[in-house]
Amino acid sequence: MDKNLDNSSNAKDEALKKVRQKVAIVDVEDLLKKEARDAADAKMNMAPPKNPEELKGFKKYFKKEFWSRTGEQIWKHTFFEKYYRDKELAKITSEIRNTGNVYATQENIDKDAHDKTMQAIAERFMLDYEGAVDEKEEKKTLEADKPEVVTAKADIKNLIFDYIKGSVNKEVFTSSKNRIISTLNGEDDAREPKMYADNLLELADNAKIAVEHGVKMEELDMDFDIIVGKAKSGIKTEAKFGAIEKAVSAIKGTKIGRFVNPATLTTAVGIAYSAMSATGKIAKMFGMSKIAAYTTFGVTAGISGALAAANESERLANERRELTRKLAKGGIISENSEENEKMSKYVYEMKSSNDLSASLREAVFIKDKDGNDILKDIKEEDLPKVLEILSEIETRNSLANEREIDLISYSNPGNVEKEKLDLIKLVATAKYGVKSKLENELKGKLPGGQDFDAYFDSQVQIMKDSLLGGEKGITSIDKAFKWAKIKGSAAVGAKTVAYGIAFGALTQELFALGSWAMGGHKVGVIQGIIEQMKDGEVPHESVETPLETFRGWITGHPLHMDMNDAIGMNVDGHDFKAPQGTNIFKNPDGTFNILNGDRVVSENVPFDYNSDGTLSDATMARLGEDGIMAGSTCSMIESTKEVVTSANDWVHNHLEKTTHIMREWMGNDTPMYPDPDHPGHLLGADLNELRTEWVGNGIDEHGDYVMTVQHMTNDGSFQNGVSVAAQEEMKKGNLEVLFSVTKNSQVNVLKGIIGPDGLIHIPHDSLEGKMLFDNVGGHAKYEGAFLEIAKHNGDMTDGREIMQILSTHIGENNPHDITEVIPITGPFSTTDINLPIAKDGPWFIPVPKHKPLEPVIYEETPVVIPSYETPTSYGDKAKKYFSDLNLYRNDDKQIEQLVSRMSADEKLSKQFDFVLNRLEVLQNYDKATPEVKASIEKESFIYNQRYSKNNPIHINEYVSNEIKRLHSQIENIYIENCEVGEKPFEKSFYENSPLLKGLENCGEVVIVLPDPIGDAVLTLPLINSLTEYFKLNKNSKGIKVISKNKALYSSLEEQFPNVRIFSPAESKSHFELQSKKVFVFNANRSFEDYELFKLSEEQAHDLSNVMSVDWSSWQKQEFPTNKRLMKKYDTLPGRVARGLEIMLGQKLFKDINQTSKYIETSSKFKTESEEIRKKYKIAKDADIFVISAGSSTTPKEYAPEKWREVMDGIYAKYPKAHILFLDDPDPTKKARYGAMVDSYKSQTGHKISRSDDRLDKMNTIMSMAKTVITPDTGLGHFAGALGTPTVMIYLSNPVLWSTPGAKRVSHKKALNTYKDGTNIYNKAWDGGSISNSYSGKSTDGYYVEDNGEMVGASSISPKEVLSKIG
Amino acid sequence: MKEETKNAGESLDLKAFVDKLISEKKDYEGLEPGVLDQIKSDILKRVEERVNVVMITNLSEDAIDEFNKMSEANATDDEMQNFFLKNIPDLPQLIAAELLVFRDTYLS
């Protein structure tokens, strides 16, 4: 027991109180199924087009993106939609069950979200509040005397006691309690167990704490009630189907006899017979019978149309459900999401659960000293507001339950149940508080003297009417959606009818049973197939008729070949299953052809795999284009593999098998000295130091190694008055042998036994025997570093054992590598290749390609751009003077003019009315109505909760920040709404701008780049923007760039003829000699030598002479596309480019976010790349990967062993890969990573080279690369700026520090810095222990949080990195 | 018995119709009986689906609502049959027309 625990009776009582008297066991299968379906829906989404403008008009036919999207829309989202969706659903459901985590497959959800959700559900079911459990959920308390309940309670009690005693751990507890729950619920052992939310572990933990606080086990009251229930997902929306969809669904597959009585059918068939016998040719009869009215092709086609329309209508209803659920879970519609935007019109207005909670907290609660919500003293004047909020929450909940819709949204999928519970508890407490007040002090204060319940019901009814009615009410939205559905489905139906008429049902059926050439004879298709089956020629070949194709499309079940007796095959190391007769051939170019018999089903398909061996989505989509349904399954199978480890690595990896020691030498007071004849050896040993001897040749009859210390004497080991009686200690068994594997690992030794007779016996097949000894011609040889005879002499406080060393046998320090068998849990994947049956006849199926919904974003968008912190230690001393960039933008007066202009502009005022309205509201905050004020205060409250909890900002500051933010948005709107070259601001801006004045008056521009490469590279759009500005304004002023890393940027001189690059030294001589007036963009954090440019200190502070900034000066820019969408310029290059557009008052780029590169490949590329290939012997067809491992801060780096795994993955995927691993200029980093590369190369034989090339070659090297992989580091950003695909591993803000094409692999901390609006995780830079050196400790490359958590980019799984490569 | 009636409704007339279709199709002569049965069963399914859809598409909007309610309430076969007779007065002609179109497309 922890001696610090407080066992006072108070603490004991408190602890005992926490041991609940209730157990809740809640079936959460509904949640599981819905989360799985939502996740499957999300997988079926299609990302918005990269450039939507290019997909319009005639030009779209020349765009690859158009064709690939069209293919996907037809195959994945039309023909194979059901297949893909079902496949995803099965995969996700299985993963959820296997991991026991309902959010297992969803991104952007905290790891502990599942546990929190389950806790919230269990707690909700234990609440006695009204409304805690929804009407459609089930809850009951089990009768305590039922035998199964008695047994379950006894089992639970025993399990908890075992847990308290420590005889079962958490893992065992969890599986045991699951078994108890299954038994209690009468589940069949053979079935997959259901998922439950329960509080048993919480109960056990609390009981354990109580015992630790002195409660005796027998004092624990374990006679708890068991509540069982069935929970429904907190998100309610389900698709509502119309009458026709329901009807069509009801008749699908129903026997006709159910609807038509025999007499009617007989009559109908009779009429048909008569008609048939009367004419023989039905066509002739059309004009003369009443039946003719029904027997046109139009009717037949109309039937197909009706089915198609019904299906389309069903699809729309499902998509509405899908989008509503996503938005209710906190999803945000991203840019260019055309389909989401369209559908969002039919999503009911929802209120955020957090906003409702915040309103309620503000109205009814105050915080106690511990920060808990407690009811405040409600006054009469508080009542209207409190009741309004309560009735709104009640109404939204009640309508949601009644109609299975969502009117409350949550912040994130993983927070739904938690926030729901929070709201329920708040509402219940608030209701109780208000009701009590109304029954006492405030009695009779409600209108008409009504009591709370009556008044509240009437308020809820009013609120219901208000939510249902009105222009944006539920009824109107439903009506609008019904019309949209009719219109949408009618369009698809009409298209199908048109196709049906054009090609004719007749043709379809004709082909169904028409002729088919086989062996020169004409036979019926079916007969042909059957005959083939009889002859056994092509037993599984089949032919798809157009009608069947059509039917497949309608029903979502296209025909494919039989997979029942599919054959297994291994292609290129991957397992496949395919119908019999299938062959997959590899082409010389690495692509594959798929044949079935003689039929070529698909050609030249590049097979790409995911890291778990499953086929990539791209490959499946490509196969889908040829009608092939490919589905990979991946199972995690435990097995073992042999790995060869160097002895040194073995020690490092198995420190637990070694002993950490500190040596005390028993050197007999004689000094050691170098042997002049044998450099590296020492002389001076004597007495026992020389008495570790081989027995004979050191090898016994079994081949084992034998040594002896029997000749050691009691007086042969001493030092400084301390002695060890060797013989005595030997007899007592106190002497040990210490094996130092290598010199580097000598503090961690392996221990061996010395017998009382002084014999040391090392079996030849033992670890030590294999790793440290050799039999050389019958003589034993010690290959380890040292073999020492020692006696244990106590322990150090840090755990090291103190060993007195009596004798040392020096070995060769050349131990053998070890082959280890290690357990692995590996993904083993098989891919089913499901071939379409051969098609006969033309395809004339109507193909109304289907555009699916786009994905939504689940992340919290900051309400306000928080100001960024500057890192506390960042290398060089920071300069004193920074320019305020706001002074280069429109001032308040100019903004006012822009606002007036916008209000007067019909188009702009309509498009951005929400911006103008909000600005007006904020500007008039002081005069606002109490309701408006309350709403803004609520926003401010949420902001403080989210970003500034410890130091909340005042409401006035919040309003002022929001106004500034809107001003910035207005500038962005003007820039965004004009063409390149246009200048949209007011005349006064251009007359007074200090930047424009400075650029006009100067003779040339100077840009001082930051020293860190990454900062400099990401700031380079300064040069692009200024060059573009000069070009547009026909100005030819030169730009002089000063950089410590001149060689890296030299290609910019080719790219921009007006640019010259200088090193700092060159710049001195250049500027001393020149007399031109300059405008300085000082982007360097420590540069302040303005005298160089002949500027006094005062002049340097003049905004029209110097713009002094660093990376943190550039703020995020936003363009509010519409009320829901915000186009962001959030990367550092994006911030610089948009910031300068605003400061220069001119649109410079068509679309900043579409810029793929801003450094061009050097003209030296051809010559240099040939030299580099030659230097590193890189094959012509090699895929070159470049890795740069060093970073400014060790926690940002990726550990050597992780790089090994990444490289393993690269070679597995790209057998022709050649990796160039860049040596870091820092000698410590160079040694750390270089050693790993060298050993990797020698162990694997893979093509990998350490590149010692300097910065002047980086342009060529990075341009040669297929992919560059780095931590968040300068050369990675440089590669990204060149447009080379870059995979970057982040510990800091992954968006800010990003080039356009970077694929990000982000640590959780990195994502938090982005979400929180901070841009640096300062902890990584703080403290003296964090430096660029490595101490050899396990904390290298990490920093340690206050709670002991080790944080570093190395925590990211190599699998994640690999998933982004290629 | 009701069950027998239902089976008869399913099989006798429509099956006879399909049998006749098959017999008119010369290509099937000489096929093994099992194979022929499979073909008949497939064609019967198609005929049934087409006739069902014809019936639904000939119901008025109100009748469709009623049909859905009956389906949800698990109405008996008799109730369903009466419902269709009531709501589609020329039901036999409608079905006959669909059968003829089907036959014609197969035999033409």
Side-chain angles (χ1 to χ4, degrees), chain A residues 588-803:
Chain A
D589 64 356
T591 62
F592 292 84
N593 291 354
I594 302 176
L595 279 76
N596 188 266
D598 292 336
R599 175 165 68 110
V600 179
V601 189
S602 193
E603 283 182 289
N604 303 322
V605 185
F607 275 13
D608 280 333
Y609 301 90
N610 300 317
S611 52
D612 61 1
T614 54
L615 218 49
S616 72
D617 286 349
T619 303
M620 289 206 270
R622 167 67 187 82
L623 291 170
E625 287 170 20
D626 291 329
I628 297 172
M629 292 192 296
S632 291
T633 49
C634 173
S635 9
M636 300 301 286
I637 297 174
E638 286 180 7
S639 72
T640 55
K641 78 167 180 181
E642 284 191 350
V643 288
V644 177
T645 313
S646 73
N648 203 46
D649 284 352
W650 185 91
V651 174
H652 183 73
N653 296 339
H654 297 84
L655 289 177
E656 78 287 354
K657 293 187 180 170
T658 67
T659 306
H660 197 184
I661 62 158
M662 209 250 342
R663 291 177 171 82
E664 279 178 357
W665 306 99
M666 292 290 110
N668 307 328
D669 296 325
T670 49
M672 302 296 285
Y673 56 91
D675 181 349
D677 299 329
H678 296 93
H681 287 77
L682 296 172
L683 295 175
D686 57 4
L687 306 176
N688 283 349
E689 287 182 277
L690 298 171
R691 289 168 187 152
T692 303
E693 299 150 323
W694 296 108
V695 177
N697 289 334
I699 298 170
D700 69 9
E701 68 276 21
H702 305 295
D704 296 341
Y705 303 100
V706 278
M707 298 181 97
T708 179
V709 292
Q710 64 184 344
H711 297 118
M712 282 192 176
T713 59
N714 280 338
D715 56 359
S717 295
F718 54 87
Q719 182 84 16
N720 298 332
V722 178
S723 65
V724 174
Q727 279 294 335
E728 275 180 32
E729 298 295 347
M730 188 195 304
K731 279 170 191 149
K732 287 184 203 163
N734 288 341
L735 293 189
E736 294 174 289
V737 58
L738 309 181
F739 301 100
S740 293
V741 175
T742 62
K743 284 182 182 171
N744 288 341
S745 64
Q746 59 181 293
V747 292
N748 295 98
V749 297
L750 292 166
K751 279 187 172 182
I753 300 166
I754 301 176
D757 53 359
L759 269 181
I760 303 166
H761 173 250
I762 301 115
H764 69 279
D765 55 356
S766 66
L767 172 74
E768 292 82 358
K770 284 194 278 190
M771 183 162 65
L772 301 174
F773 290 84
D774 255 343
N775 179 335
V776 181
H779 290 263
K781 189 175 171 193
Y782 183 62
E783 300 285 4
F786 310 111
L787 184 152
E788 294 161 304
I789 308 303
K791 180 186 165 285
H792 185 219
N793 190 32
D795 295 332
M796 303 282 286
T797 49
D798 62 3
R800 281 181 295 165
E801 290 187 10
I802 302 166
M803 301 301 294

Side-chain angles (χ1 to χ4, degrees), chain A residues 919-933:
Chain A
L919 186 62
E920 197 181 340
V921 166
L922 290 168
Q923 282 171 336
N924 295 301
Y925 169 73
D926 288 343
K927 296 173 226 153
T929 61
E931 289 76 26
V932 171
K933 274 193 171 173

Side-chain angles (χ1 to χ4, degrees), chain A residues 847-908:
Chain A
V847 185
K849 66 178 182 184
H850 170 51
K851 289 185 188 171
L853 293 178
E854 298 86 359
V856 297
I857 303 166
Y858 290 113
E859 60 184 24
E860 291 178 6
T861 313
V863 179
V864 172
I865 310 164
S867 56
Y868 291 124
E869 295 169 31
T870 302
T872 48
S873 67
Y874 191 81
D876 291 339
K877 194 180 159 198
K879 59 191 174 188
K880 286 182 206 152
Y881 171 68
F882 282 80
S883 308
D884 178 357
L885 290 189
N886 289 317
L887 299 174
Y888 288 105
R889 302 175 71 135
N890 286 278
D891 60 25
D892 287 355
K893 203 173 165 194
Q894 285 155 353
I895 291 281
E896 244 177 65
Q897 289 165 336
L898 291 177
V899 171
S900 309
R901 228 167 81 197
M902 190 183 281
S903 307
D905 183 311
E906 199 185 333
K907 195 180 150 217
L908 285 181

Side-chain angles (χ1 to χ4, degrees), chain A residues 242-248 250-269 271-273 275-276 280-283 285-286 290-292 294-297 299-300 302-304 306-307 482 505-507 509-510 512-515 522-527 530-531 534 545 547-548 551 554-555, chain B residues 5-6 8-10 13-14 16-18 20-21 24-32 35-36 39 43-58 61 64-65 67-68 70-72 74-78 80-82 84-85 90-108:
Chain A
I244 187 76
E245 297 108 77
K246 275 191 196 165
V248 168
I251 57 105
K252 274 183 193 169
T254 307
K255 295 286 178 199
I256 195 167
R258 174 157 163 69
F259 300 140
V260 184
N261 67 32
T264 308
L265 210 50
T266 307
T267 313
V269 175
I271 295 170
Y273 280 149
M276 283 150 62
K281 282 274 177 191
I282 195 72
M285 193 195 68
F286 280 176
K290 189 184 172 188
I291 300 161
Y294 300 103
T295 52
T296 60
F297 293 138
V299 169
T300 309
I303 294 164
S304 309
L307 260 178
K482 195 175 171 190
L506 177 69
T507 323
E509 301 299 352
L510 176 75
L513 285 177
S515 296
K522 280 193 146 191
V523 293
V525 171
I526 294 176
Q527 187 185 356
I530 291 160
E531 284 181 358
K534 277 196 299 187
T545 67
L547 181 67
E548 287 307 332
R551 281 160 55 86
I554 289 286
T555 59
Chain B
T5 310
K6 186 182 165 193
E10 272 178 357
D13 295 308
L14 277 188
F17 173 78
V18 170
K20 186 151 176 61
L21 268 187
E24 288 178 47
K25 189 84 181 169
K26 304 288 178 221
D27 292 335
Y28 297 145
E29 283 169 12
L31 282 182
E32 283 176 20
V35 176
L36 207 54
I39 292 173
I43 292 176
L44 185 62
K45 268 189 206 161
R46 289 188 192 190
V47 172
E48 284 181 326
E49 191 171 298
R50 291 179 73 140
V51 172
N52 281 342
V53 177
V54 163
M55 295 198 306
I56 293 294
T57 52
N58 276 275
E61 203 174 317
I64 288 179
D65 284 339
F67 169 77
N68 284 330
M70 290 173 71
S71 293
E72 280 165 18
N74 293 322
T76 65
D77 290 0
D78 286 346
M80 278 291 188
Q81 289 159 10
N82 290 336
F84 276 101
L85 269 180
D90 47 359
L91 186 61
Q93 286 81 356
L94 191 79
I95 297 171
E98 189 54 33
L99 295 179
L100 288 171
V101 170
F102 192 88
R103 172 186 178 271
D104 196 50
T105 52
Y106 267 77
L107 298 181
S108 300

Side-chain angles (χ1 to χ4, degrees), chain A residues 1163-1366:
Chain A
S1163 62
K1164 295 177 198 159
F1165 176 78
K1166 195 167 180 297
T1167 337
E1168 285 187 356
S1169 61
E1170 277 168 18
E1171 286 168 13
I1172 286 164
R1173 277 183 187 278
K1174 210 167 158 187
K1175 179 175 174 185
Y1176 298 114
K1177 299 192 177 80
I1178 301 174
K1180 276 201 171 156
D1181 60 348
D1183 293 314
I1184 301 174
F1185 290 83
V1186 174
I1187 295 175
S1188 170
S1191 171
S1192 56
T1193 312
T1194 55
K1196 283 177 22 180
E1197 290 182 7
Y1198 207 45
E1201 62 272 18
K1202 300 279 180 171
W1203 280 119
R1204 288 179 79 103
E1205 285 187 59
V1206 170
M1207 294 195 296
D1208 282 345
I1210 291 173
Y1211 289 114
K1213 193 167 179 183
Y1214 297 95
K1216 289 180 185 168
H1218 192 126
I1219 294 177
L1220 280 181
F1221 206 106
L1222 305 186
D1223 269 347
D1224 199 280
D1226 178 314
T1228 327
K1229 291 178 193 293
K1230 185 176 171 181
R1232 174 179 166 97
Y1233 295 104
M1236 180 275 291
V1237 173
D1238 292 345
S1239 84
Y1240 185 81
K1241 188 175 181 175
S1242 67
Q1243 284 167 14
T1244 64
H1246 284 313
K1247 291 193 170 57
I1248 178 167
S1249 311
R1250 284 174 61 178
S1251 157
D1252 56 2
D1253 297 283
R1254 303 171 77 92
L1255 291 179
D1256 60 338
K1257 295 284 188 296
M1258 285 305 128
N1259 187 302
T1260 297
I1261 287 180
M1262 296 305 189
S1263 300
M1264 289 168 77
K1266 179 181 174 70
T1267 302
V1268 174
I1269 311 141
T1270 69
D1272 174 6
T1273 187
L1275 289 179
H1277 293 308
F1278 182 76
L1282 276 161
T1284 303
T1286 313
V1287 175
M1288 198 162 269
I1289 304 163
Y1290 284 98
L1291 187 65
S1292 58
N1293 185 326
V1295 176
L1296 176 72
W1297 298 103
S1298 182
T1299 46
K1303 289 183 186 171
R1304 306 170 179 123
V1305 190
S1306 305
H1307 190 282
K1308 192 172 76 181
K1309 296 276 183 196
L1311 291 173
N1312 287 343
T1313 60
Y1314 172 61
K1315 283 182 188 167
D1316 296 345
T1318 54
N1319 54 4
I1320 283 288
Y1321 196 71
N1322 275 333
K1323 190 95 187 175
W1325 276 256
D1326 283 350
S1329 60
I1330 305 298
S1331 70
N1332 289 330
S1333 60
Y1334 309 96
S1335 60
K1337 290 180 187 163
S1338 58
T1339 49
D1340 274 355
Y1342 294 86
Y1343 64 87
V1344 184
E1345 282 280 24
D1346 295 337
N1347 63 6
E1349 185 193 359
M1350 275 169 56
V1351 180
S1354 298
S1355 309
I1356 296 169
S1357 149
K1359 269 190 187 169
E1360 270 189 70
V1361 179
L1362 282 164
S1363 70
K1364 303 281 180 185
I1365 297 174

